[in-house]
Amino acid sequence: MSDINQFIEDEKRSLKAKLTLISGNSLSALMAERKGYEAKIAEIDAKIQDICEELVVEVGLEAARKERRSRMSGQKFTAKILEALKNSPQGISQIGISEAVEGSYGSVLS
């Protein structure tokens, strides 16, 4: 019985420590502040874009956003990895796989 009581006391201490961390934390305030900055940045980007359109100058803000790859389903990504492995009987590095499947190194890792 003392093992159970000790376990319960340890869990109580752990939960109290977590509650103290949560209640004394300014995470929500920081997240709200970040959201405000992101909105301000988007507003500035729009102003820059408007000015550049008037001047017929390309800044690259929109181009960078348009070049993002679309998400690939997990099954399709796995199939592409398997195909890359089949096409390389002598072996292939993770970087080689990521280049072959047009995915990030981190995605190939996981």
Side-chain angles (χ1 to χ4, degrees):
M1 280 307 267
S2 67
D3 288 340
I4 292 173
N5 291 335
Q6 182 64 38
F7 176 76
I8 291 171
E9 288 303 315
D10 291 343
E11 287 299 305
K12 278 184 183 178
R13 275 192 292 275
S14 174
L15 288 173
K16 283 181 183 179
K18 286 180 184 177
L19 183 59
T20 301
L21 179 65
I22 290 170
S23 63
N25 192 320
S26 61
L27 181 62
S28 61
L30 289 172
M31 290 175 70
E33 185 179 357
R34 178 182 177 178
K35 197 172 204 173
Y37 286 127
E38 288 173 345
K40 186 68 174 171
I41 289 170
E43 181 183 318
I44 292 169
D45 283 350
K47 288 178 182 178
I48 291 171
Q49 194 67 36
D50 289 343
I51 292 169
C52 289
E53 285 176 5
E54 288 177 23
L55 297 173
V56 190
V57 176
E58 259 188 67
V59 168
L61 295 175
E62 285 300 313
R65 290 185 186 132
K66 289 179 183 177
E67 292 176 14
R68 293 188 106 176
R69 291 184 285 228
S70 61
R71 285 190 63 94
M72 190 181 318
S73 72
Q75 291 174 336
K76 187 174 181 182
F77 194 69
T78 302
K80 280 187 148 190
I81 291 174
L82 291 174
E83 187 66 30
L85 292 171
K86 286 178 189 175
N87 292 336
S88 304
Q90 299 299 320
I92 187 171
S93 67
Q94 285 178 262
I95 292 173
I97 295 171
S98 66
E99 290 170 354
V101 300
E102 299 174 351
S104 71
Y105 181 84
S107 295
V108 171
L109 253 172
S110 56

